[in-house]
């Protein structure tokens, strides 16, 4: 997670920075681990069986996105949680947002 991820590291909440204790490599690893969890939540949303499951996984994604500092991803997850009928369109937006914000973090 280098270069283009400096923007990603800037959006990381203070709480995560405090956990890392100033260790930039640890912070990068925390972000990568959280981003991996977000990717899993997105995959679970994509494969959810029914609205209740979709809401559950969208809620999980929303919490993870807030923990890592992605307001945009959290808002999209909240929209999916509120309106599962928009699932297809929202998954596209969620995928695009995730790739733009975390693609390098997960690939690292």
């Amino acid at each position: 997670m280098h270069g283009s991820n400096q923007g990603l590291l800037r959006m990381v909440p203070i709480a995560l920075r405090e956990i890392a204790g100033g260790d930039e490599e640890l912070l990068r690893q925390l972000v990568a681990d959280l981003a991996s969890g977000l990717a899993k939540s997105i995959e679970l949303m994509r494969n959810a069986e029914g609205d209740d499951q979709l809401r559950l996984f969208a809620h999980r994604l929303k919490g993870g996105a807030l923990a890592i500092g992605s307001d945009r991803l959290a808002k999209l997850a909240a929209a999916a949680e509120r309106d599962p009928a928009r699932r297809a369109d929202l998954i596209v937006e969620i995928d695009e947002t995730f790739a733009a914000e975390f693609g390098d973090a997960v690939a690292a």
Side-chain angles (χ1 to χ4, degrees), residues 51-72:
D51 290 352
D52 289 341
Q53 266 196 358
L54 179 68
R55 284 187 182 102
L56 174 70
F57 298 135
H59 185 77
R60 178 176 160 182
L61 176 63
K62 180 177 68 176
L66 290 171
I68 202 169
S70 176
D71 293 337
R72 173 80 179 133

PDB file of all heavy atoms in Angstrom, residues 51-72:
ATOM      1  N   ASP A  51     -33.987 -10.027   1.307  1.00  0.00           N
ATOM      2  CA  ASP A  51     -33.788  -8.675   1.830  1.00  0.00           C
ATOM      3  C   ASP A  51     -33.189  -8.658   3.231  1.00  0.00           C
ATOM      4  O   ASP A  51     -32.376  -7.790   3.543  1.00  0.00           O
ATOM      5  CB  ASP A  51     -35.115  -7.906   1.834  1.00  0.00           C
ATOM      6  CG  ASP A  51     -35.600  -7.572   0.430  1.00  0.00           C
ATOM      7  OD1 ASP A  51     -34.837  -7.797  -0.543  1.00  0.00           O
ATOM      8  OD2 ASP A  51     -36.741  -7.103   0.309  1.00  0.00           O
ATOM      9  N   ASP A  52     -33.587  -9.596   4.084  1.00  0.00           N
ATOM     10  CA  ASP A  52     -33.066  -9.605   5.452  1.00  0.00           C
ATOM     11  C   ASP A  52     -31.556  -9.837   5.471  1.00  0.00           C
ATOM     12  O   ASP A  52     -30.832  -9.153   6.198  1.00  0.00           O
ATOM     13  CB  ASP A  52     -33.776 -10.654   6.315  1.00  0.00           C
ATOM     14  CG  ASP A  52     -35.211 -10.270   6.636  1.00  0.00           C
ATOM     15  OD1 ASP A  52     -35.551  -9.070   6.519  1.00  0.00           O
ATOM     16  OD2 ASP A  52     -35.988 -11.165   7.010  1.00  0.00           O
ATOM     17  N   GLN A  53     -31.101 -10.777   4.674  1.00  0.00           N
ATOM     18  CA  GLN A  53     -29.655 -11.018   4.597  1.00  0.00           C
ATOM     19  C   GLN A  53     -28.941  -9.812   4.018  1.00  0.00           C
ATOM     20  O   GLN A  53     -27.880  -9.430   4.503  1.00  0.00           O
ATOM     21  CB  GLN A  53     -29.348 -12.245   3.727  1.00  0.00           C
ATOM     22  CG  GLN A  53     -29.215 -13.506   4.494  1.00  0.00           C
ATOM     23  CD  GLN A  53     -28.543 -14.610   3.673  1.00  0.00           C
ATOM     24  OE1 GLN A  53     -28.202 -14.444   2.506  1.00  0.00           O
ATOM     25  NE2 GLN A  53     -28.387 -15.745   4.310  1.00  0.00           N
ATOM     26  N   LEU A  54     -29.520  -9.229   2.981  1.00  0.00           N
ATOM     27  CA  LEU A  54     -28.903  -8.042   2.375  1.00  0.00           C
ATOM     28  C   LEU A  54     -28.766  -6.931   3.411  1.00  0.00           C
ATOM     29  O   LEU A  54     -27.707  -6.306   3.525  1.00  0.00           O
ATOM     30  CB  LEU A  54     -29.703  -7.555   1.181  1.00  0.00           C
ATOM     31  CG  LEU A  54     -29.130  -6.302   0.522  1.00  0.00           C
ATOM     32  CD1 LEU A  54     -27.801  -6.613  -0.152  1.00  0.00           C
ATOM     33  CD2 LEU A  54     -30.109  -5.707  -0.459  1.00  0.00           C
ATOM     34  N   ARG A  55     -29.824  -6.701   4.170  1.00  0.00           N
ATOM     35  CA  ARG A  55     -29.768  -5.657   5.211  1.00  0.00           C
ATOM     36  C   ARG A  55     -28.679  -5.959   6.248  1.00  0.00           C
ATOM     37  O   ARG A  55     -27.955  -5.058   6.671  1.00  0.00           O
ATOM     38  CB  ARG A  55     -31.119  -5.530   5.901  1.00  0.00           C
ATOM     39  CG  ARG A  55     -32.152  -4.805   5.091  1.00  0.00           C
ATOM     40  CD  ARG A  55     -33.436  -4.567   5.905  1.00  0.00           C
ATOM     41  NE  ARG A  55     -34.423  -3.914   5.096  1.00  0.00           N
ATOM     42  CZ  ARG A  55     -35.459  -4.534   4.529  1.00  0.00           C
ATOM     43  NH1 ARG A  55     -35.655  -5.831   4.723  1.00  0.00           N
ATOM     44  NH2 ARG A  55     -36.322  -3.860   3.799  1.00  0.00           N
ATOM     45  N   LEU A  56     -28.567  -7.201   6.650  1.00  0.00           N
ATOM     46  CA  LEU A  56     -27.556  -7.605   7.628  1.00  0.00           C
ATOM     47  C   LEU A  56     -26.147  -7.313   7.107  1.00  0.00           C
ATOM     48  O   LEU A  56     -25.324  -6.704   7.794  1.00  0.00           O
ATOM     49  CB  LEU A  56     -27.704  -9.092   7.954  1.00  0.00           C
ATOM     50  CG  LEU A  56     -26.632  -9.691   8.852  1.00  0.00           C
ATOM     51  CD1 LEU A  56     -26.773  -9.155  10.276  1.00  0.00           C
ATOM     52  CD2 LEU A  56     -26.716 -11.198   8.839  1.00  0.00           C
ATOM     53  N   PHE A  57     -25.862  -7.727   5.880  1.00  0.00           N
ATOM     54  CA  PHE A  57     -24.523  -7.534   5.321  1.00  0.00           C
ATOM     55  C   PHE A  57     -24.262  -6.070   4.986  1.00  0.00           C
ATOM     56  O   PHE A  57     -23.129  -5.598   5.098  1.00  0.00           O
ATOM     57  CB  PHE A  57     -24.312  -8.441   4.114  1.00  0.00           C
ATOM     58  CG  PHE A  57     -24.411  -9.904   4.460  1.00  0.00           C
ATOM     59  CD1 PHE A  57     -25.131 -10.769   3.659  1.00  0.00           C
ATOM     60  CD2 PHE A  57     -23.802 -10.417   5.598  1.00  0.00           C
ATOM     61  CE1 PHE A  57     -25.232 -12.121   3.968  1.00  0.00           C
ATOM     62  CE2 PHE A  57     -23.900 -11.767   5.932  1.00  0.00           C
ATOM     63  CZ  PHE A  57     -24.607 -12.614   5.115  1.00  0.00           C
ATOM     64  N   ALA A  58     -25.300  -5.351   4.573  1.00  0.00           N
ATOM     65  CA  ALA A  58     -25.147  -3.914   4.319  1.00  0.00           C
ATOM     66  C   ALA A  58     -24.830  -3.187   5.627  1.00  0.00           C
ATOM     67  O   ALA A  58     -23.999  -2.271   5.657  1.00  0.00           O
ATOM     68  CB  ALA A  58     -26.409  -3.350   3.672  1.00  0.00           C
ATOM     69  N   HIS A  59     -25.476  -3.605   6.704  1.00  0.00           N
ATOM     70  CA  HIS A  59     -25.215  -3.003   8.017  1.00  0.00           C
ATOM     71  C   HIS A  59     -23.766  -3.272   8.438  1.00  0.00           C
ATOM     72  O   HIS A  59     -23.074  -2.387   8.937  1.00  0.00           O
ATOM     73  CB  HIS A  59     -26.194  -3.564   9.046  1.00  0.00           C
ATOM     74  CG  HIS A  59     -26.078  -2.927  10.387  1.00  0.00           C
ATOM     75  ND1 HIS A  59     -26.602  -1.684  10.644  1.00  0.00           N
ATOM     76  CD2 HIS A  59     -25.473  -3.338  11.526  1.00  0.00           C
ATOM     77  CE1 HIS A  59     -26.334  -1.364  11.904  1.00  0.00           C
ATOM     78  NE2 HIS A  59     -25.644  -2.353  12.454  1.00  0.00           N
ATOM     79  N   ARG A  60     -23.325  -4.500   8.209  1.00  0.00           N
ATOM     80  CA  ARG A  60     -21.931  -4.859   8.518  1.00  0.00           C
ATOM     81  C   ARG A  60     -20.955  -4.012   7.702  1.00  0.00           C
ATOM     82  O   ARG A  60     -19.951  -3.514   8.226  1.00  0.00           O
ATOM     83  CB  ARG A  60     -21.749  -6.340   8.222  1.00  0.00           C
ATOM     84  CG  ARG A  60     -20.362  -6.847   8.437  1.00  0.00           C
ATOM     85  CD  ARG A  60     -20.318  -8.343   8.200  1.00  0.00           C
ATOM     86  NE  ARG A  60     -18.961  -8.769   7.951  1.00  0.00           N
ATOM     87  CZ  ARG A  60     -18.607  -9.991   7.682  1.00  0.00           C
ATOM     88  NH1 ARG A  60     -19.520 -10.953   7.646  1.00  0.00           N
ATOM     89  NH2 ARG A  60     -17.369 -10.300   7.460  1.00  0.00           N
ATOM     90  N   LEU A  61     -21.250  -3.835   6.407  1.00  0.00           N
ATOM     91  CA  LEU A  61     -20.407  -3.010   5.548  1.00  0.00           C
ATOM     92  C   LEU A  61     -20.389  -1.566   6.030  1.00  0.00           C
ATOM     93  O   LEU A  61     -19.329  -0.931   6.074  1.00  0.00           O
ATOM     94  CB  LEU A  61     -20.892  -3.084   4.095  1.00  0.00           C
ATOM     95  CG  LEU A  61     -20.159  -2.185   3.111  1.00  0.00           C
ATOM     96  CD1 LEU A  61     -18.686  -2.572   3.004  1.00  0.00           C
ATOM     97  CD2 LEU A  61     -20.830  -2.242   1.732  1.00  0.00           C
ATOM     98  N   LYS A  62     -21.544  -1.072   6.411  1.00  0.00           N
ATOM     99  CA  LYS A  62     -21.635   0.314   6.890  1.00  0.00           C
ATOM    100  C   LYS A  62     -20.744   0.523   8.106  1.00  0.00           C
ATOM    101  O   LYS A  62     -19.972   1.487   8.171  1.00  0.00           O
ATOM    102  CB  LYS A  62     -23.094   0.668   7.221  1.00  0.00           C
ATOM    103  CG  LYS A  62     -23.285   2.093   7.734  1.00  0.00           C
ATOM    104  CD  LYS A  62     -24.759   2.393   7.982  1.00  0.00           C
ATOM    105  CE  LYS A  62     -25.293   1.579   9.138  1.00  0.00           C
ATOM    106  NZ  LYS A  62     -26.696   1.897   9.469  1.00  0.00           N
ATOM    107  N   GLY A  63     -20.806  -0.390   9.052  1.00  0.00           N
ATOM    108  CA  GLY A  63     -19.974  -0.271  10.255  1.00  0.00           C
ATOM    109  C   GLY A  63     -18.490  -0.327   9.938  1.00  0.00           C
ATOM    110  O   GLY A  63     -17.700   0.466  10.459  1.00  0.00           O
ATOM    111  N   GLY A  64     -18.103  -1.245   9.067  1.00  0.00           N
ATOM    112  CA  GLY A  64     -16.703  -1.347   8.679  1.00  0.00           C
ATOM    113  C   GLY A  64     -16.218  -0.111   7.944  1.00  0.00           C
ATOM    114  O   GLY A  64     -15.099   0.364   8.159  1.00  0.00           O
ATOM    115  N   ALA A  65     -17.065   0.405   7.060  1.00  0.00           N
ATOM    116  CA  ALA A  65     -16.700   1.605   6.302  1.00  0.00           C
ATOM    117  C   ALA A  65     -16.519   2.794   7.237  1.00  0.00           C
ATOM    118  O   ALA A  65     -15.577   3.585   7.077  1.00  0.00           O
ATOM    119  CB  ALA A  65     -17.767   1.908   5.247  1.00  0.00           C
ATOM    120  N   LEU A  66     -17.381   2.923   8.226  1.00  0.00           N
ATOM    121  CA  LEU A  66     -17.234   4.011   9.190  1.00  0.00           C
ATOM    122  C   LEU A  66     -15.972   3.844  10.021  1.00  0.00           C
ATOM    123  O   LEU A  66     -15.279   4.825  10.312  1.00  0.00           O
ATOM    124  CB  LEU A  66     -18.468   4.099  10.098  1.00  0.00           C
ATOM    125  CG  LEU A  66     -19.742   4.583   9.418  1.00  0.00           C
ATOM    126  CD1 LEU A  66     -20.942   4.418  10.356  1.00  0.00           C
ATOM    127  CD2 LEU A  66     -19.606   6.030   8.957  1.00  0.00           C
ATOM    128  N   ALA A  67     -15.650   2.605  10.364  1.00  0.00           N
ATOM    129  CA  ALA A  67     -14.453   2.349  11.173  1.00  0.00           C
ATOM    130  C   ALA A  67     -13.175   2.739  10.439  1.00  0.00           C
ATOM    131  O   ALA A  67     -12.215   3.203  11.051  1.00  0.00           O
ATOM    132  CB  ALA A  67     -14.386   0.866  11.567  1.00  0.00           C
ATOM    133  N   ILE A  68     -13.190   2.581   9.133  1.00  0.00           N
ATOM    134  CA  ILE A  68     -11.991   2.871   8.352  1.00  0.00           C
ATOM    135  C   ILE A  68     -11.999   4.293   7.789  1.00  0.00           C
ATOM    136  O   ILE A  68     -11.012   4.768   7.252  1.00  0.00           O
ATOM    137  CB  ILE A  68     -11.805   1.815   7.238  1.00  0.00           C
ATOM    138  CG1 ILE A  68     -10.362   1.756   6.764  1.00  0.00           C
ATOM    139  CG2 ILE A  68     -12.745   2.052   6.102  1.00  0.00           C
ATOM    140  CD1 ILE A  68     -10.072   0.581   5.869  1.00  0.00           C
ATOM    141  N   GLY A  69     -13.131   4.985   7.905  1.00  0.00           N
ATOM    142  CA  GLY A  69     -13.198   6.387   7.499  1.00  0.00           C
ATOM    143  C   GLY A  69     -13.762   6.654   6.120  1.00  0.00           C
ATOM    144  O   GLY A  69     -13.572   7.722   5.566  1.00  0.00           O
ATOM    145  N   SER A  70     -14.475   5.684   5.541  1.00  0.00           N
ATOM    146  CA  SER A  70     -15.058   5.875   4.221  1.00  0.00           C
ATOM    147  C   SER A  70     -16.525   6.282   4.337  1.00  0.00           C
ATOM    148  O   SER A  70     -17.427   5.437   4.348  1.00  0.00           O
ATOM    149  CB  SER A  70     -14.940   4.605   3.381  1.00  0.00           C
ATOM    150  OG  SER A  70     -15.601   4.795   2.142  1.00  0.00           O
ATOM    151  N   ASP A  71     -16.754   7.577   4.398  1.00  0.00           N
ATOM    152  CA  ASP A  71     -18.129   8.071   4.506  1.00  0.00           C
ATOM    153  C   ASP A  71     -18.966   7.704   3.283  1.00  0.00           C
ATOM    154  O   ASP A  71     -20.133   7.357   3.411  1.00  0.00           O
ATOM    155  CB  ASP A  71     -18.132   9.585   4.698  1.00  0.00           C
ATOM    156  CG  ASP A  71     -17.551  10.000   6.034  1.00  0.00           C
ATOM    157  OD1 ASP A  71     -17.553   9.179   6.978  1.00  0.00           O
ATOM    158  OD2 ASP A  71     -17.078  11.149   6.141  1.00  0.00           O
ATOM    159  N   ARG A  72     -18.364   7.766   2.106  1.00  0.00           N
ATOM    160  CA  ARG A  72     -19.095   7.466   0.870  1.00  0.00           C
ATOM    161  C   ARG A  72     -19.577   6.011   0.860  1.00  0.00           C
ATOM    162  O   ARG A  72     -20.730   5.727   0.569  1.00  0.00           O
ATOM    163  CB  ARG A  72     -18.204   7.750  -0.346  1.00  0.00           C
ATOM    164  CG  ARG A  72     -18.773   7.325  -1.664  1.00  0.00           C
ATOM    165  CD  ARG A  72     -19.784   8.311  -2.190  1.00  0.00           C
ATOM    166  NE  ARG A  72     -20.272   7.854  -3.480  1.00  0.00           N
ATOM    167  CZ  ARG A  72     -21.550   7.818  -3.814  1.00  0.00           C
ATOM    168  NH1 ARG A  72     -22.463   8.258  -2.985  1.00  0.00           N
ATOM    169  NH2 ARG A  72     -21.922   7.391  -4.990  1.00  0.00           N
TER     170      ARG A  72
END
